[in-house]
Amino acid sequence: MRSISTFFLLLCLTNHLSECLTVTNGQVHQPKQALLVPRRNSHHVNRGGHPALLDAIVNFEPSSSLLPRHHHPSDARRIFHGRGGLFPGADHLTLDYYPPAFLLTSFQPLAEEELNVYGNALEELWERNGKEELLLLNGDAYDVRYPIDKAKGASCDNHNDPKSEYSNEVSATTQSTLTWVYQCRARGNTTTQLMSGTIPQPHIVTENNGQNQFLVHLSRGQNHGLFLDMASGRSWLQTKCSTGEVSTVLNLFAYTCAFSIAALNGGAETVVNVDMSHGALKIGQRNHEFNPLVQAKGKGKAKFLAHDLFKTWGKLKKLGPCDCVVCDPPSYQKGSFVAKKDYGKVLRRLPSLLAPNGWALLCLNAPELDTNFLLEKV
């Protein structure tokens, strides 16, 4: 195996969301302090929900006039990341903002009373920050405000048909009612409930101050088209491409190709996206069509290979060494990839895929595995 000193390695562990370790010439550089966690000096009082999550809701500022310079009103963001273990008793909770919708995810069932507390806090946030100021990039919105059983919620499974034809014309609209979705991922089952509001169709959100556009689908499936806990990784890659340090990218476990969008918008010449899922790559292709800068580069800059990675090494090697390999696999996907067992197999192939002095961006979203898990396998 090629020595670690001949390429650079960046580890992104989403258990701490922004914990990125850079390994250069065998030396480990410690990460910056974790980002996107709620401020601890909030005045919020625990009203039945977890106080750290309630603090995060209180401190969140979706209004365009209050956004940091690097955020656009349509930028999707993770508001609360309990999975990082920074807040005792909240490691089962995450809260995301896919404008105009909030998504609360719990890895254990929540009581109706606790759900109501979070819903009330989100409603207060919505009212306080000016409902009409929130910009959304979307096509024609559709309204699903039918009667909802508060105890059971409303199933969302049929409200966002992936086979529907999307318009390439993206318009700006506002939304006057709170939209929030609750997903429970417990005991091996996933249920998704629309708690209130309107889900856009198509639902398009952005990153990088509105530059990168992505299709998302909060109403079906366990995943939603864009992993917000990997925003730091996409930002890192886009910066490397914009400075010319990275020109060619191999995107493994590409899913809907968000890394590809970031790379091409940053100035990458070519990106090869590899994933077993034909459906995910189809959405990835649509993502490329929604991004003007990507389209301006012309066809052929992005390739999409719906292959089993472990049966495709030869083909990938023939495509030539690349400046950066992105590896963002699922932590556990029965029948295809289990991080503890399979990550090492991928790492052993990196030297044959990377150009000298290239970069490897290794991602891991398993809270039970730490930095040493990856370092020991390199």
Side-chain angles (χ1 to χ4, degrees), residues 11-19 78 81-84 91 94 107 185 222-223 226-231 253 255 259 327-333 337-340 343 361-371 373-374:
L11 310 182
C12 285
L13 285 85
T14 60
N15 56 330
H16 284 291
L17 193 61
S18 63
E19 181 177 341
R78 174 146 293 183
H81 189 69
R83 300 277 281 169
D91 55 0
T94 64
F107 289 80
R185 295 170 61 173
Q222 179 171 290
N223 301 318
L226 181 65
F227 295 122
L228 299 185
D229 54 3
M230 197 42 61
F253 305 96
Y255 185 43
F259 274 107
C327 185
D328 185 16
S331 57
Y332 182 88
Q333 193 169 75
F337 191 89
V338 178
K340 287 184 177 180
Y343 217 131
L361 174 60
L362 307 182
C363 311
L364 185 62
N365 68 347
E368 69 276 10
L369 301 176
D370 61 12
T371 305
F373 170 78
L374 288 179

Side-chain angles (χ1 to χ4, degrees), residues 25 37 52 60 84 97 117 188 252 263 276 288 372:
N25 297 326
V37 296
F60 182 62
Y97 183 49
V117 169
L252 305 179
M276 287 183 63
H288 286 71
N372 289 330

Side-chain angles (χ1 to χ4, degrees), residues 59-74:
N59 289 318
F60 182 62
E61 301 285 4
S63 175
S64 57
S65 62
L66 297 174
L67 286 171
R69 182 175 301 176
H70 62 283
H71 280 314
H72 187 275
S74 62

Side-chain angles (χ1 to χ4, degrees), residues 71-362:
H71 280 314
H72 187 275
S74 62
D75 276 1
R77 283 158 282 160
R78 174 146 293 183
I79 300 171
F80 181 74
H81 189 69
R83 300 277 281 169
L86 298 177
F87 301 94
D91 55 0
H92 60 292
L93 294 169
T94 64
L95 180 64
D96 295 313
Y97 183 49
Y98 293 90
F102 295 89
L103 171 69
L104 174 66
T105 303
S106 178
F107 289 80
Q108 66 185 41
L110 299 181
E112 179 184 354
E113 179 182 4
E114 185 173 358
L115 274 177
N116 288 337
V117 169
Y118 298 138
N120 290 336
L122 289 170
E123 188 67 53
E124 292 173 6
L125 168 68
W126 191 261
E127 294 287 342
R128 185 174 64 251
N129 282 277
K131 299 175 292 186
E132 300 294 343
E133 294 182 15
L134 293 163
L135 179 70
L136 169 67
L137 295 178
N138 60 53
D140 295 330
Y142 64 96
D143 200 330
V144 287
R145 281 178 285 179
Y146 44 76
I148 295 176
D149 183 335
K150 289 290 187 179
K152 298 180 180 179
S155 173
C156 298
D157 291 341
N158 299 319
H159 289 294
N160 199 349
D161 184 359
K163 297 179 181 178
S164 63
E165 291 297 322
Y166 298 128
S167 168
N168 283 333
E169 293 188 8
V170 179
S171 59
T173 68
T174 57
Q175 181 147 325
S176 59
T177 59
L178 168 69
T179 296
W180 75 286
V181 175
Y182 167 55
Q183 183 182 86
C184 181
R185 295 170 61 173
R187 306 187 185 99
N189 296 315
T190 299
T191 59
T192 304
Q193 302 169 8
L194 175 68
M195 305 306 289
S196 69
T198 300
I199 299 177
Q201 173 66 12
H203 190 176
I204 303 171
V205 298
T206 64
E207 280 188 335
N208 195 35
N209 199 22
Q211 182 182 17
N212 305 337
Q213 299 184 24
F214 306 98
L215 279 166
V216 295
H217 44 84
L218 305 191
S219 57
R220 61 180 174 84
Q222 179 171 290
N223 301 318
H224 310 293
L226 181 65
F227 295 122
L228 299 185
D229 54 3
M230 197 42 61
S232 294
R234 288 187 290 272
S235 177
W236 175 88
L237 179 61
Q238 188 158 351
T239 298
K240 288 295 179 184
C241 292
S242 68
T243 60
E245 296 176 74
V246 171
S247 180
T248 55
V249 178
L250 175 60
N251 186 19
L252 305 179
F253 305 96
Y255 185 43
T256 57
C257 309
F259 274 107
S260 181
I261 298 298
L264 291 170
N265 276 339
E269 285 299 314
T270 59
V271 180
V272 177
N273 298 287
V274 183
D275 199 281
M276 287 183 63
S277 172
H278 289 265
L281 288 180
K282 289 277 284 185
I283 297 174
Q285 289 174 296
R286 296 298 295 173
N287 280 335
H288 286 71
E289 294 169 9
F290 274 113
N291 284 266
L293 284 179
V294 173
Q295 285 296 297
K297 292 176 180 293
K299 294 184 178 179
K301 297 295 185 180
K303 302 182 185 298
F304 306 90
L305 304 180
H307 296 317
D308 182 343
L309 177 62
F310 295 104
K311 300 177 181 178
T312 315
W313 296 121
K315 186 170 185 176
L316 294 179
K317 191 173 180 179
K318 289 179 182 178
L319 292 175
C322 60
D323 298 326
C324 182
V325 172
V326 176
C327 185
D328 185 16
S331 57
Y332 182 88
Q333 193 169 75
K334 189 175 181 180
S336 62
F337 191 89
V338 178
K340 287 184 177 180
K341 177 172 65 77
D342 296 321
Y343 217 131
K345 300 176 185 177
V346 177
L347 297 185
R348 286 193 288 272
R349 298 282 185 169
L350 289 184
S352 64
L353 302 175
L354 275 169
N357 296 318
W359 289 87
L361 174 60
L362 307 182

